[in-house]
Amino acid sequence: MEEGCEFRSWDELIPDALGLIFSNLSLQEILTVIPRVCKSWRKTVMGPYCWQEIDIVEWSQRSSPENLDRMLEMLMTRSAGSHRKLCVSGLPTDASFSFVADHAKSLQTLRLPRSEISDPIVEELAWKLSTITFLDVSYCRKMGAPALEAIGKHCKFLTGLRRIMHPLEIIDKLTQDDEALAIAATMPKLKHLEIAYLLVSTEPVLKILASCCELELLDVRGCWNVRLDEKLIKKFSGLKVVGPLVIDCYEGNGWDDCSAYSGSSGYLAWDFVAGEMDYYDDELYAAWEDESMDDLELRFYDGFDADNAGFDWPQSP
């Protein structure tokens, strides 16, 4: 090494820079590998620097409700309320949603698909979500129009909403027109709206188009009672409508795993469309299955050795 050249060791990088680098790693690596390297890296992982974006969707789909709550509490405590994005599948109770809302002061993107959250808790706490710009409440069976109305009234910056349902989950419902009407009445700044397989009719959807003047993408795949005239759609400059005809074949592991929207290739580069779809990784699932949260907490608090933490990690070839 030539004299006069200054190089900074990895362990001397500022926590902000380390956090940005670590964000490219998997959740498994951040939790079990990085803390073992050195004290400065361990300190970075324990602080808010790695947790500006918390995405545990894949892990949460195989986790028990108890472990999911404990993981959320741990990561959101590390974040110290600074996280801008939270993605988790299957919040088990209203209490879980309440915890999320209590730590949402900086939240912009919130994805809670398949969560057991009810209208009353959303109505009570929607004001705490006032900073969000994108919301995913797909497959949330216990909530409906009252919750959406509360969200629309309190979340004035909301520009993206994903409210997709599985056809079998709404088989007992006669209509969900009230949800579409709540969207039309309270969410005028929407640019992207996905309501695939919602039981809505034409008139509420037309009210959405009339109220949401900035709308760029409307997904009504599987909304068989919606009839939108092509001449009418052309009156809305810049609007792309997907559906109600479904051309894509669904995978057996999820109704929202479309390979692409029909005729909407220009939208696939958007984070809202491509980045918000659910994909499944069986290998990662296997790695996180039967995890021990007690050992995980020891790993954070006491520098516990990840090799002996009780995780069922994949073996190197």
Side-chain angles (χ1 to χ4, degrees):
M1 184 181 299
E2 297 179 7
E3 284 191 29
C5 291
E6 295 185 2
F7 293 92
R8 174 170 289 184
S9 301
W10 280 88
D11 62 347
E12 295 177 356
L13 289 176
I14 60 175
D16 301 74
L18 287 173
L20 185 62
I21 294 170
F22 296 160
S23 66
N24 294 296
L25 301 175
S26 68
L27 179 65
Q28 172 189 330
E29 291 171 319
I30 296 175
L31 293 180
T32 64
V33 177
I34 294 301
R36 301 176 56 199
V37 176
C38 61
K39 290 182 178 179
S40 66
W41 286 24
R42 178 175 178 271
K43 183 178 180 180
T44 298
V45 170
M46 292 181 67
Y49 312 102
C50 285
W51 310 114
Q52 303 300 299
E53 297 187 357
I54 301 174
D55 188 343
I56 57 172
V57 168
E58 293 183 342
W59 179 85
S60 60
Q61 288 173 338
R62 287 294 184 91
S63 174
S64 68
E66 296 79 11
N67 283 351
L68 175 55
D69 282 339
R70 294 172 69 183
M71 175 70 88
L72 271 178
E73 181 179 355
M74 185 169 59
L75 297 185
M76 294 176 71
T77 299
R78 296 284 184 270
S79 148
S82 65
H83 57 285
R84 299 183 299 271
K85 181 177 182 179
L86 175 63
C87 306
V88 55
S89 178
L91 286 184
T93 63
D94 282 348
S96 305
F97 178 78
S98 179
F99 181 81
V100 169
D102 287 340
H103 296 78
K105 63 181 181 181
S106 301
L107 200 58
Q108 296 175 6
T109 297
L110 179 60
R111 293 189 61 209
L112 302 175
R114 301 176 178 85
S115 292
E116 299 295 321
I117 52 180
S118 65
D119 285 329
I121 195 66
V122 176
E123 290 179 286
E124 177 185 345
L125 300 176
W127 65 273
K128 294 185 177 182
L129 305 174
S130 61
T131 59
I132 66 172
T133 59
F134 171 79
L135 177 66
D136 183 354
V137 285
S138 297
Y139 316 111
C140 295
R141 297 170 295 175
K142 293 184 177 180
M143 61 171 286
L148 292 177
E149 182 177 356
I151 290 167
K153 287 181 177 179
H154 293 285
C155 305
K156 300 300 184 182
F157 300 106
L158 193 68
T159 59
L161 176 66
R162 193 167 191 247
R163 175 63 172 157
I164 295 175
M165 298 301 293
H166 193 298
L168 295 180
E169 292 177 338
I170 55 176
I171 197 170
D172 60 334
K173 296 181 180 292
L174 295 177
T175 179
Q176 290 174 294
D177 279 346
D178 57 344
E179 293 194 22
L181 292 173
I183 293 170
T186 63
M187 304 180 186
K189 294 186 178 181
L190 284 182
K191 294 183 178 179
H192 314 289
L193 176 61
E194 295 184 59
I195 53 173
Y197 292 96
L198 229 59
L199 293 176
V200 295
S201 56
T202 303
E203 189 62 30
V205 173
L206 291 178
K207 289 187 177 182
I208 289 175
L209 293 178
S211 302
C212 304
C213 300
E214 300 178 39
L215 201 60
E216 298 174 0
L217 174 64
L218 174 62
D219 177 7
V220 288
R221 288 172 298 129
C223 299
W224 308 118
N225 293 326
V226 174
R227 301 289 185 269
L228 297 177
D229 185 80
E230 186 174 347
K231 293 181 179 179
L232 174 66
I233 296 302
K234 288 183 178 180
K235 295 180 180 179
F236 298 92
S237 177
L239 174 63
K240 184 69 177 182
V241 176
V242 183
L245 179 64
V246 178
I247 295 180
D248 297 286
C249 293
Y250 287 102
E251 299 290 340
N253 56 5
W255 280 82
D256 57 337
D257 291 343
C258 287
S259 59
Y261 288 122
S262 174
S264 62
S265 59
Y267 287 86
L268 294 179
W270 295 1
D271 180 66
F272 181 82
V273 176
E276 301 299 334
M277 302 301 281
D278 290 332
Y279 296 98
Y280 299 86
D281 187 334
D282 290 337
E283 184 178 358
L284 185 59
Y285 282 155
W288 285 84
E289 195 170 9
D290 297 326
E291 74 284 4
S292 167
M293 287 298 298
D294 289 330
D295 290 333
L296 182 56
E297 289 180 309
L298 283 172
R299 181 71 195 86
F300 272 89
Y301 288 106
D302 302 321
F304 192 73
D305 187 352
D307 289 336
N308 299 313
F311 287 90
D312 185 19
W313 306 124
Q315 298 298 315
S316 300

